[in-house]
Amino acid sequence: MNNKFFLMRHAQSDHNVGNWISADEETDKKSQLTKTGIEQTHRLGKELKKVGIDLIYHSPFQRVAATCSIVNQYLKVPVLVERRLSQMNCGVFNGKIWAERERFFLDEVEKLSKRPPGGESLLDLKARMVAALRDINARHQQKKILIISHGNPLRLLQLAALNLPDVAVFTDRRVVRWKSDVSPEPFFDELLINENFSLSHPVDLSSLRCINLTERQMFDLELILVNGFAPLKGFLKEEDYFSVMEKMRLQNGALWPMPIVLDWRQSDRPVLGETVALCDHFGNPLAFMKVESVYQPDKIREARLVYGTEKLSHPGVAYLFNNTHDWYVGGEVSFVGLPIHYAFRELRKTPAELKEFFRQGGWDKVIGFNTRNPIHRAHFELMRNAARHYQAKVLLHPIVGSTNEGDVDYITRVRTYKIIHERYMKDFAFLSLLPLAMRMAGPREAVWHALVRKNYGCSHFIVGRDHAGPKDESGNPFYDKYASQELAKQYADEIGIEIITPKEMAYVEEENRYLPIDQIAANQTVKVISGTALREMLLSGAEFPDWFSFPETIGELRRWAELKNYEA
Ligand code: ADX
Ligand code: MG
């Protein structure tokens, strides 16, 4: 603690000059420091010697290591490599030029928060750099520490240290300096740490083990912490896990259909009674958990009972067998901080906030609507019809946690929700985002969704056809079209929510409107555009008929398809 940090960008490389993205180690290996870069670094080494640097941490990239070895000819201090100081992973744009990446990010929200396929967002990078710096800081006392990294990581670190709002990364002069790729003048920056940016961890972690959560575990934890998963207060203990699988109930009898579990690598050796810190991917602490139960799951039974199948073509089952460790630990969690989301903060209402909003507006009947897709006409019809029929308001409550593979990314979707809500639904609906990690468990998932919506203040919940149901490798659904409706209805009273079960809606050409399929005559013409057809039409730039969607939605989807195309 009480260390002083000095930031330095690696020396100019040929890739910098050509504006290439060398953000993966493969591309980095092909880059070389330029003559200018090498000269700059020698001059900078002499400058830094006057500062009296005690040690160096640097990114593992070879251009940074090369820079470090030049500077250290002058400093002769210990050198440590820190992986989290790497360049921002640009995913599909790695090895391309920066301008190519730029054109896919439309506004500041996207520039900050959108992850390119396979890559990180700017704000992922911020969380990573802050966690790295905190850990480095905790390891040393009263040292002058030189950090050698890359332009983007250093900018984000400055942003955090100066405690500036995120958008300042584009505007504030104090955080844009590292762009000076071709600057003839070498320089380093003493990290100015604003009093509001604490370099110590928000809680004392010195005696605790930090468990890095997966993305799914983070979403689960968030919903536990905001009471979206009430009555759960933590991750399931052994008796609750088996009871939930077999009876859809906790040991104490409370209805709960989905195993919310914390899987753990065996090598981490959880100890009963130990308190651990649950941290995000980069080491930022989110909660404490006292380990009350350590057990081995029965994955085959879990697959059969929760998903009704052991087939790996079911995404929930695949996750269970391929991405879940062989030990589960359970216990109650206590709050340290919520996972930080940067995009659309104003749309992420907690259960308490939503209930208060409904109460103040006198919304005594609220119909929850779940979706993981952009809003097309069929979704709209479901919501509007239900609102009219029940004389109620609608909570448009799309999922922004993990959804099915191949789904449209949530940032693109939220742009469609905002605009459709604003233009067509404002008088009867409220929009809020739900950070839930879907399992695609069909009927059980529908019961779970209804319970969660009850927690968020809904009095009604729509379960349509094949709700939260995935398809197998040949495109066949895993569950019967109305199985989710049946199971949800069965538990409606106990949950205390009314389940609305519309029949499948389809567009009828002769009547120019959507109708439930049981009301369509045999001689009428039904029109549908399947998910696969939709994607092909987007990629080929085909025009869409009005009945299918909204021009606003299609516009956003074309941008999404362009990125998909790029990926392919
Ligand atoms: S999910 O819940 O099923 O995963 P999706 O976005 O596809 O999300 O659907 C949202 C909701 O609308 C679900 O309740 C689904 O059952 C319902 N739904 C979607 N399309 C139709 C349709 N054509 N007819 C009836 N219900 C539908
Ligand atoms: Mg669906």
Side-chain angles (χ1 to χ4, degrees), residues 367-370 375-396 420-421 423-430 462 500 502 505-507 511-516 546-547 549-550:
I367 304 169
F369 183 74
N370 178 81
I375 299 287
H376 299 304
R377 287 271 171 195
H379 299 112
F380 179 77
E381 296 287 325
L382 288 173
M383 288 185 272
R384 199 189 44 191
N385 292 349
R388 285 188 182 153
H389 184 264
Y390 291 87
Q391 308 236 317
K393 303 286 191 187
V394 167
L395 172 63
L396 171 52
I420 301 298
H421 172 255
R423 295 210 180 148
Y424 308 104
M425 301 177 66
K426 229 180 166 173
D427 55 327
F428 70 93
F430 189 76
I462 297 177
I500 302 175
M505 300 287 287
Y507 178 76
E511 303 211 17
N512 184 27
R513 61 177 175 141
Y514 278 81
L515 283 175
D546 287 344
W547 60 263
S549 190
F550 297 87

Side-chain angles (χ1 to χ4, degrees), residues 159-386:
L159 181 79
L162 294 164
N163 204 34
L164 294 168
D166 300 327
V167 290
V169 76
F170 306 117
T171 52
D172 196 293
R173 289 186 52 246
R174 287 168 292 179
V175 294
V176 296
R177 300 170 170 193
W178 307 102
K179 276 194 143 180
S180 54
D181 285 340
V182 286
S183 157
E185 282 314 306
F187 81 102
F188 57 90
D189 193 21
E190 185 173 335
L191 185 59
L192 299 168
I193 295 172
N194 182 300
E195 66 234 8
N196 294 319
F197 175 71
S198 163
L199 262 189
S200 48
H201 282 285
V203 289
D204 182 14
L205 293 175
S206 47
S207 58
L208 299 183
R209 274 202 290 168
C210 175
I211 303 303
N212 293 108
L213 301 181
T214 62
E215 191 170 277
R216 176 190 282 187
Q217 291 166 347
M218 296 240 296
F219 287 122
D220 286 351
L221 176 64
E222 178 169 4
L223 280 177
I224 295 168
L225 293 175
V226 300
N227 291 323
F229 280 174
L232 295 197
K233 294 201 171 74
F235 290 96
L236 294 186
K237 296 183 248 180
E238 183 167 16
E239 318 80 67
D240 286 326
Y241 164 74
F242 283 100
S243 171
V244 163
M245 281 199 309
E246 274 146 30
K247 303 184 215 146
M248 299 211 333
R249 293 180 185 284
L250 301 176
Q251 179 82 344
N252 67 12
L255 183 68
W256 189 265
M258 194 58 67
I260 303 297
V261 295
L262 189 61
D263 60 299
W264 197 316
R265 237 177 295 127
Q266 195 178 4
S267 57
D268 282 340
R269 282 183 221 280
V271 180
L272 267 181
E274 176 188 8
T275 297
V276 292
L278 303 180
C279 300
D280 71 14
H281 180 60
F282 306 116
N284 299 299
L286 305 170
F288 294 126
M289 185 178 90
K290 185 161 178 202
V291 177
E292 294 171 68
S293 175
V294 178
Y295 57 101
Q296 283 188 287
D298 184 339
K299 291 190 183 177
I300 295 190
R301 214 139 125 230
E302 190 176 334
R304 280 193 201 137
L305 292 169
V306 176
Y307 300 104
T309 175
E310 286 170 48
K311 279 196 190 165
L312 287 172
S313 50
H314 187 295
V317 176
Y319 191 95
L320 175 64
F321 287 114
N322 300 334
N323 298 337
T324 310
H325 296 299
D326 290 332
W327 286 87
Y328 289 179
V329 295
E332 287 192 11
V333 297
S334 55
F335 184 92
V336 176
L338 290 177
I340 303 167
H341 304 290
Y342 297 91
F344 311 117
R345 277 187 189 139
E346 72 288 358
L347 296 178
R348 298 170 183 272
K349 303 282 186 252
T350 63
E353 287 167 342
L354 273 188
K355 282 182 190 162
E356 181 55 20
F357 173 82
F358 298 153
R359 199 189 58 77
Q360 280 187 10
W363 289 25
D364 51 347
K365 279 195 262 174
V366 181
I367 304 169
F369 183 74
N370 178 81
T371 183
R372 40 174 255 274
N373 283 303
I375 299 287
H376 299 304
R377 287 271 171 195
H379 299 112
F380 179 77
E381 296 287 325
L382 288 173
M383 288 185 272
R384 199 189 44 191
N385 292 349

Side-chain angles (χ1 to χ4, degrees), residues 369-374 378-379 382 399 407 417 438 440 449 461-469 482 485 502-506 514:
F369 183 74
N370 178 81
T371 183
R372 40 174 255 274
N373 283 303
H379 299 112
L382 288 173
I399 303 227
D407 283 349
Y417 304 140
M438 287 185 81
M440 301 303 293
H449 285 182
F461 182 60
I462 297 177
V463 179
R465 66 106 169 75
D466 197 22
H467 183 101
Y482 298 119
Q485 295 187 342
K503 284 272 176 296
E504 178 168 24
M505 300 287 287
Y514 278 81

